[in-house]
Amino acid sequence: MADEAMGTIPPELRAHVSNVLVRVEDFPDEETEEEMELESPFDLLGLYRGVDLMRQSVSDVRMTMDAIFLYRRPILDYWCETGEDLFHIVRHVLVHEIGHHFGFSDEDMERIEGGYGDEE
């Protein structure tokens, strides 16, 4: 499903994430839980690990590959709780983490998803 969701990303954006590994794990590891100060491993649906495009430099020596983690059990739990379409949830989490790869903050993405701050 993650591969299928990646296939729906526009090619001009997908070209910029071709070197980003997408991994599906059951849960975040203990180090991530501690780092993110999670109350429960179910609190995190996805995570981008790496250096976003805004901070990358050709002179930097990279020791690890950038990666997007999709956490299967929390995503399935969220799906059961909300009744939303599972593919939509997976794609939404994937797009959100791709946004972090591009250097967007959570606040930036909320504004984008919210219609650029609809004004009254």
Side-chain angles (χ1 to χ4, degrees):
M1 193 176 284
D3 287 338
E4 185 181 343
M6 183 61 89
T8 68
I9 305 300
E12 55 274 6
L13 295 179
R14 213 172 40 237
H16 295 285
V17 294
S18 62
N19 62 338
V20 177
L21 177 67
V22 177
R23 294 189 52 175
V24 178
E25 303 280 340
D26 277 344
F27 289 105
D29 60 27
E30 287 183 27
E31 180 182 319
T32 300
E33 281 188 60
E34 290 173 15
E35 178 185 331
M36 303 292 290
E37 299 179 356
L38 302 177
E39 290 183 26
S40 161
F42 286 93
D43 291 343
L44 189 63
L45 304 182
L47 181 67
Y48 169 72
R49 286 244 184 241
V51 179
D52 67 61
L53 292 177
M54 302 297 286
R55 296 185 204 160
Q56 288 184 10
S57 169
V58 293
S59 63
D60 289 342
V61 176
R62 305 284 304 278
M63 302 306 284
T64 59
M65 184 176 206
D66 291 354
I68 291 173
F69 293 88
L70 301 176
Y71 298 117
R72 188 179 68 83
R73 295 281 309 278
I75 288 172
L76 291 173
D77 193 64
Y78 181 83
W79 171 58
C80 289
E81 286 179 7
T82 66
E84 289 182 41
D85 179 73
L86 181 57
F87 181 79
H88 173 79
I89 296 167
V90 170
R91 186 177 188 282
H92 178 81
V93 174
L94 181 63
V95 167
H96 184 89
E97 301 313 327
I98 288 172
H100 286 308
H101 173 67
F102 281 97
F104 297 134
S105 68
D106 285 336
E107 294 78 22
D108 293 334
M109 287 183 276
E110 284 177 24
R111 277 194 302 279
I112 291 167
E113 290 176 351
Y116 302 98
D118 297 327
E119 289 157 36
E120 298 175 38

